[in-house]
Amino acid sequence: MWLDTAKKLFCAARKSVAHTCVSTQLLLSIAFGLFPYKYNSKTRRLTTAKWLKYYWVLVNIVMVLITVYLNFFKRTPSATSFIIDKPLNKLLAYIHFLLGLVVFVVISSANFRHRAEVLILHNAILQLQQQQQRWQQKWSKKSNPQISALFENYIIAKNVMTFLQAASNVHAKLGFNPNPSFKYVCFTILTICVKNITLFTVSNFYLTLLYIYRLLQQLNWNFKEVVSFYSLRARDVPDTVPIEDTTEIAFDLKFATPCKKTSVECTGVDVAAIAELCRQYVRICQLIRRVCKVYEWQVLLFLIIILFGNVMSTFYFLVYLVGKMLPKELFSPTLFLELFFINVLDLCCYMVICERSMMSAKETSFILHQLCRLEELPDEIRNEIEMLSIFMAGETIRIRFCGLLEWNFRTGASFMIATILYLIVLVQFDYYNL
């Protein structure tokens, strides 16, 4: 009994923490001028307000002025002998400066250009979520709480990574100056505010993709309920349909679970309900394409700057270990390695949600294949399923940017290999000056 109570308390606490994380991320995005929208509880849609439009313009102007001030008028606080005394380190510092400036300009421009599309995109997600809720209330006899549990776990993990990235940046800035002055602390705060533009932009992409992933998971669950109902009526199909290990989703994948009778008797799912599920899958595919289109340049530049930051942090760590020009007491090895490990973990969060989204699409095709095998399936429903199968043959869910880069585990492995190769090149290029 006490185990059930503890489990319920844990689930309630996790849900509360996840809700707080989402609210905090959206509020910070509004504060940085990245998400100038508010939620209307009556219409259950995102809307714009007059004060948000003016505030959004004001914040973006302030961020541009801060960027100009930091990069062209206040660069001396970050200059240390560790950077100046080594030519290669000085060159890397200039490249990092130019890259950071380009990333800020491009991301700010992309956010300005796609601000209306982002509003339409999020409202489409909310509308699709409401359609799934209505379908659940009308046709579904059971629910899967583990879908929400996975969503909450991913939300909490990503927000922890974002917090650790900001904290590691602050630690790195203050680590170069053990006795910081008030001006240096203000310089650090302004620098982190500019960097948070990139962090929260990509975090909003993650949050949007995560909502779509939850929609796809709920759609698969609804399809499995249809299979469960018609498998009970089939004569030659066994009660439990075997499933291949095509995904690593941590919830029950048994298709032929009998429908528990309640006060409402279990009834068949009509053609309109199946057609609604098919249309939901088509809309999810369209939403995935639109999300990748809106955030493609932001995500690509984020990957580039993370790659460069990982190479720099590991290279500076090697310089710290073997260098003679740098006082050891001013630095710590964790100053360089903590940012590298946090970036790797953050990239893993993105890769996991992208890979699971693509695996869920494969799971959908497998469910449809099992559904078509049922003999008791009406011809009208079979036609709807076949039409969706034809659509899926030419349109699959892929997290692809600019039509070239597909974000999955294979890309993540290539990302780590590229980090090691660039590190080897830098060490060979300046081996005698380390």
Side-chain angles (χ1 to χ4, degrees):
M1 184 65 183
W2 65 273
L3 288 176
D4 295 336
T5 304
K7 185 177 180 180
K8 291 181 180 178
L9 291 176
F10 175 77
C11 293
R14 180 180 58 194
K15 183 177 181 179
S16 177
V17 171
H19 179 73
T20 303
C21 290
V22 173
S23 301
T24 303
Q25 180 174 332
L26 294 179
L27 289 176
L28 290 176
S29 298
I30 294 174
F32 285 108
L34 302 176
F35 201 79
Y37 317 112
K38 66 176 184 178
Y39 182 74
N40 191 338
S41 58
K42 295 181 179 180
T43 60
R44 302 180 69 180
R45 293 290 188 274
L46 292 175
T47 58
T48 57
K50 193 173 183 179
W51 70 271
L52 280 175
K53 293 181 180 179
Y54 292 124
Y55 176 79
W56 176 80
V57 174
L58 178 63
V59 169
N60 281 272
I61 293 175
V62 170
M63 287 298 173
V64 171
L65 295 177
I66 291 175
T67 304
V68 173
Y69 172 75
L70 292 177
N71 292 288
F72 296 101
F73 298 100
K74 197 65 176 177
R75 295 180 58 199
T76 52
S78 60
T80 62
S81 59
F82 172 62
I83 302 297
I84 296 176
D85 295 341
K86 293 181 180 295
L88 182 59
N89 293 354
K90 189 175 182 180
L91 176 62
L92 292 176
Y94 276 115
I95 295 175
H96 186 265
F97 155 69
L98 293 175
L99 184 61
L101 186 61
V102 170
V103 167
F104 174 79
V105 172
V106 173
I107 287 181
S108 299
S109 302
N111 291 336
F112 174 79
R113 187 171 64 253
H114 296 295
R115 65 189 186 279
E117 177 68 18
V118 170
L119 177 62
I120 297 173
L121 181 63
H122 283 81
N123 282 331
I125 294 175
L126 291 174
Q127 183 181 4
L128 187 56
Q129 184 176 357
Q130 293 173 11
Q131 291 177 0
Q132 285 194 351
Q133 291 175 354
R134 289 194 294 267
W135 198 96
Q136 286 288 112
Q137 294 174 359
K138 186 175 181 180
W139 300 106
S140 181
K141 306 302 179 184
K142 54 185 177 180
S143 61
N144 188 357
Q146 295 191 12
I147 297 177
S148 299
L150 286 174
F151 174 82
E152 294 162 2
N153 290 335
Y154 289 145
I155 284 290
I156 295 173
K158 176 59 185 134
N159 279 265
V160 169
M161 291 298 105
T162 303
F163 172 78
L164 290 178
Q165 280 182 322
S168 64
N169 287 326
V170 173
H171 182 222
K173 287 291 182 181
L174 298 180
F176 280 98
N177 192 345
N179 300 309
S181 61
F182 178 75
K183 292 183 178 180
Y184 189 82
V185 173
C186 294
F187 168 80
T188 301
I189 294 175
L190 293 178
T191 304
I192 298 304
C193 288
V194 174
K195 288 185 177 181
N196 283 340
I197 298 295
T198 303
L199 291 179
F200 281 104
T201 298
V202 186
S203 296
N204 290 335
F205 160 74
Y206 176 89
L207 183 61
T208 306
L209 193 62
L210 187 56
Y211 273 107
I212 297 176
Y213 168 70
R214 186 174 68 172
L215 293 174
L216 186 58
Q217 288 291 85
Q218 186 62 52
L219 180 65
N220 288 341
W221 179 257
N222 295 337
F223 270 124
K224 284 184 282 187
E225 286 191 307
V226 176
V227 175
S228 175
F229 172 77
Y230 282 105
S231 64
L232 293 177
R233 300 172 56 184
R235 298 176 181 177
D236 300 328
V237 179
D239 288 340
T240 303
V241 181
I243 181 171
E244 299 175 359
D245 189 16
T246 57
T247 62
E248 298 178 356
I249 301 173
F251 59 85
D252 191 14
L253 291 176
K254 294 181 180 179
F255 286 135
T257 303
C259 181
K260 296 180 179 180
K261 294 185 178 181
T262 57
S263 58
V264 180
E265 293 293 330
C266 293
T267 59
V269 182
D270 60 11
V271 181
I274 300 298
E276 176 66 23
L277 293 181
C278 296
R279 286 194 296 268
Q280 288 179 12
Y281 184 86
V282 174
R283 293 194 62 188
I284 288 175
C285 291
Q286 295 173 350
L287 289 175
I288 288 287
R289 289 201 308 269
R290 293 169 65 182
V291 168
C292 294
K293 184 65 176 179
V294 168
Y295 288 100
E296 58 183 1
W297 286 108
Q298 296 94 311
V299 174
L300 287 176
L301 290 174
F302 173 75
L303 290 175
I304 292 173
I305 200 169
I306 289 296
L307 174 63
F308 187 79
N310 287 347
V311 174
M312 285 185 62
S313 61
T314 51
F315 179 71
Y316 285 165
F317 175 69
L318 295 179
V319 173
Y320 169 82
L321 289 181
V322 300
K324 299 179 180 180
M325 304 172 64
L326 179 66
K328 300 283 186 177
E329 63 273 7
L330 295 181
F331 294 92
S332 170
T334 58
L335 187 64
F336 306 104
L337 292 184
E338 68 179 14
L339 186 60
F340 172 78
F341 287 116
I342 291 173
N343 287 338
V344 171
L345 292 176
D346 186 57
L347 288 176
C348 288
C349 291
Y350 290 101
M351 288 185 294
V352 167
I353 191 62
C354 292
E355 188 74 20
R356 284 185 177 272
S357 298
M358 292 184 287
M359 289 295 103
S360 296
K362 294 181 180 180
E363 181 190 359
T364 305
S365 62
F366 181 80
I367 296 172
L368 296 180
H369 175 69
Q370 297 296 329
L371 187 59
C372 290
R373 290 175 54 189
L374 299 177
E375 295 182 358
E376 295 295 325
L377 193 68
D379 293 336
E380 295 83 359
I381 295 180
R382 191 181 301 276
N383 292 334
E384 293 288 342
I385 299 300
E386 290 177 354
M387 292 297 296
L388 180 59
S389 301
I390 294 173
F391 172 81
M392 294 176 64
E395 182 72 23
T396 183
I397 292 180
R398 294 181 183 273
I399 315 299
R400 182 178 292 176
F401 306 102
C402 297
L404 298 174
L405 179 63
E406 186 173 327
W407 205 347
N408 49 27
F409 288 144
R410 182 177 299 177
T411 305
S414 302
F415 192 88
M416 296 305 300
I417 293 173
T419 302
I420 298 173
L421 292 178
Y422 279 118
L423 180 62
I424 293 174
V425 170
L426 288 178
V427 171
Q428 291 179 342
F429 182 77
D430 200 40
Y431 177 76
Y432 293 103
N433 293 325
L434 290 179

